[in-house]
Amino acid sequence: MSDATAVGGGIGVAPYAELTFDADGDVDPGTQDAVSALEATDLLVFAHGWNSDRSTSTRLFDRFYAPFPGLVGPGVRPGYVGVVWPSIRFSDEPIPDFDPHGALAEPGHGTALDPATLRALGEFWPGRVAELDRVAELLEERPESPAAFTEFGALVRELAGVDTVDAVVAAGAVGAAAVPPAVPAVPAIFAEDVLEVCRALTEGLVEAGGQPGGAAGPGFSLGGGLRALWSGAKELLRQATYYQMKKRAGVVGERGLGPVLAELAGRRPALRFHLIGHSFGARVVSFSLRAVPDGARYVKSATLLQGAFSHYSFADRLPHDKSSGGALRGMQRKVDGPVVACHSPYDSALKVFYPLASRMAGDSAGLLGLDERWGAIGHDGVQAVSGTPRLTLDAALRAGVPQAGCVSVDTGSVVRRGGPPSGAHSDICHEELARLVVAAGRMGR
């Protein structure tokens, strides 16, 4: 019995298989064989965003896929694929109606790392036990010492792998053409004074509702208030994992998922593919489009759920730099159908923290002061792509979506629940979103 078959036993839809990749985008051969053996007319391929273990991703796939058998038309035989890749979810980032009671970090942990998150960090950054133990100690003790923050910042930089030029050059979207021409030696959020970074992130937590009691508002003073900044320090650690996941997602998509799907499409030309991705998983499936051969028409739709990448990614020209395009410019034309970007104003992770995380690429003049250049596609949809319609979810479900090109759908009517710091970022298990995928792929009754 293959690994994918064994795991698939907990999934309520069939046929189902999981497709597993490592951090370098190498596929597990057994899972690839299992996916290749699925009998279907249409293959739904869903890449998770952040999570900490395989059981979490499998339960997410089960929940999201559950409505599909009752939604597709009689001539459609769907096959279900879950794309599993190494990512991490801090246990204080809840999935509404998903996490069992008591599974999340206890409120009393404060800035300390709960045991589940510390274990997950150890798996995410293997071989870094000493560094992680010291990071955990500092977050628990919260010393009122600038030197302690300096030490913490150095540890986070080391964990994130930004102390070498090579690591930073690889930080952008995969592929030399997508890397800005003037990438500095160290991403700005790691190079700035660590106290100022932690101040900015603490203020971001206040805006997102994640700082109980508003202990450190926009006007607070550093004098005598260093303990408050450890909330921002914990957020800096979280952002370092996002930075690593962003790099991995591009690699897994372009070097892993894309070639695997292209190979399968070559052997089974009648098979129709429908890509679905959540958060950084939306980046995985979007970057897989780079591996679609010119003229190929096997990808029939792509639905991006709260995508954690730039809203300018598909643009031919950037509004603030007409000489450059987005990292995925023109990739929507690789899809023989629509690219649907779902966005919600209730997603604090993308509204507040994604713009701060964007400075990790080092292409900002400063850490503070947000502007539209750094927006996420899951916050306000596709930007700077001519002719992209903007629809409400109700309108998209009532009248359908365009047959091709980019379309932005405001899903805030259902994607609206979730606590700080990530807000509604993971509130994606809704029948309405399944219906949207079906509509985009022309699979309905």
Side-chain angles (χ1 to χ4, degrees):
M1 179 184 298
S2 73
D3 188 47
T5 302
V7 174
I11 294 291
V13 295
Y16 171 83
E18 287 180 358
L19 192 57
T20 302
F21 297 91
D22 67 15
D24 297 319
D26 293 327
V27 66
D28 177 279
T31 66
Q32 184 176 8
D33 291 343
V35 170
S36 299
L38 295 179
E39 292 296 332
T41 60
D42 293 72
L43 208 61
L44 297 163
V45 182
F46 182 15
H48 65 71
W50 56 63
N51 69 77
S52 293
D53 56 44
R54 187 164 192 153
S55 64
T56 301
S57 59
T58 300
R59 289 189 297 129
L60 179 62
F61 299 145
D62 182 42
R63 284 284 305 278
F64 187 81
Y65 278 145
F68 281 85
L71 300 176
V72 299
V76 176
R77 289 184 291 114
Y80 303 93
V81 176
V83 178
V84 179
W85 59 287
S87 61
I88 183 175
R89 177 170 67 99
F90 279 55
S91 61
D92 61 359
E93 298 171 354
I95 301 176
D97 296 335
F98 185 89
D99 292 289
H101 179 71
L104 299 180
E106 294 296 328
H109 278 293
T111 62
L113 296 176
D114 62 281
T117 297
L118 190 56
R119 284 194 303 271
L121 287 167
E123 295 176 6
F124 189 71
W125 283 313
R128 311 308 291 269
V129 174
E131 293 92 335
L132 287 170
D133 283 349
R134 180 56 178 158
V135 162
E137 183 180 14
L138 288 169
L139 286 174
E140 183 168 8
E141 294 179 354
R142 296 188 297 160
E144 294 194 72
S145 161
F149 280 92
T150 300
E151 180 188 4
F152 184 87
L155 288 166
V156 171
R157 284 197 302 271
E158 189 172 347
L159 289 168
V162 297
D163 285 337
T164 65
V165 173
D166 289 343
V168 177
V169 170
V174 177
V179 178
V183 180
V186 176
I189 202 166
F190 295 126
E192 299 277 347
D193 178 79
V194 68
L195 284 175
E196 292 304 309
V197 171
C198 291
R199 180 205 297 265
L201 292 173
T202 301
E203 291 175 355
L205 283 167
V206 173
E207 181 179 347
Q211 182 74 353
F220 73 89
S221 168
L222 286 179
L226 294 187
R227 285 180 67 84
L229 298 191
W230 284 103
S231 294
K234 183 178 182 179
E235 190 59 35
L236 179 60
L237 177 65
R238 191 194 315 268
Q239 295 299 326
T241 67
Y242 292 177
Y243 173 74
Q244 194 74 39
M245 283 192 287
K246 180 179 179 180
K247 292 191 290 181
R248 287 184 184 178
V251 170
V252 170
E254 183 174 14
R255 301 179 188 173
L257 179 61
V260 166
L261 298 184
E263 190 272 338
L264 179 56
R267 290 192 292 107
R268 298 176 58 182
L271 191 58
R272 295 157 42 94
F273 294 80
H274 306 277
L275 307 181
I276 310 161
H278 169 235
S279 186
F280 286 113
R283 182 176 170 89
V284 170
V285 299
S286 296
F287 273 76
S288 78
L289 296 174
R290 286 184 165 188
V292 175
D294 290 339
R297 312 306 293 169
Y298 56 85
V299 178
K300 298 300 181 180
S301 68
T303 305
L304 313 177
L305 306 169
Q306 301 310 116
F309 60 100
S310 172
H311 56 194
Y312 292 138
S313 290
F314 293 100
D316 288 329
R317 293 288 180 270
L318 301 178
H320 52 280
D321 182 3
K322 298 296 185 182
S323 65
S324 299
L328 295 167
R329 54 188 174 275
M331 287 297 109
Q332 66 270 27
R333 292 186 279 274
K334 300 271 192 173
V335 179
D336 189 26
V339 174
V340 180
C342 300
H343 58 95
S344 169
Y346 303 104
D347 186 333
S348 301
L350 300 184
K351 177 182 180 180
V352 177
F353 294 108
Y354 179 85
L356 291 175
S358 294
R359 278 109 176 113
M360 294 183 182
D363 47 5
S364 167
L367 179 67
L368 305 179
L370 308 182
D371 63 54
E372 64 182 14
R373 284 182 295 170
W374 316 116
I377 199 169
H379 170 59
D380 58 4
V382 175
Q383 302 291 326
V385 175
S386 178
T388 297
R390 304 185 68 82
L391 307 175
T392 64
L393 178 59
D394 180 66
L397 294 178
R398 185 178 62 252
V401 296
Q403 295 188 9
C406 294
V407 57
S408 298
V409 177
D410 184 342
T411 58
S413 58
V414 296
V415 181
R416 58 190 303 118
R417 297 174 304 152
S422 54
H425 185 68
S426 294
D427 186 18
I428 62 167
C429 293
H430 297 281
E431 182 178 325
E432 292 89 343
L433 299 183
R435 289 170 57 199
L436 188 61
V437 173
V438 169
R442 305 297 192 266
M443 294 179 284
R445 298 180 181 276

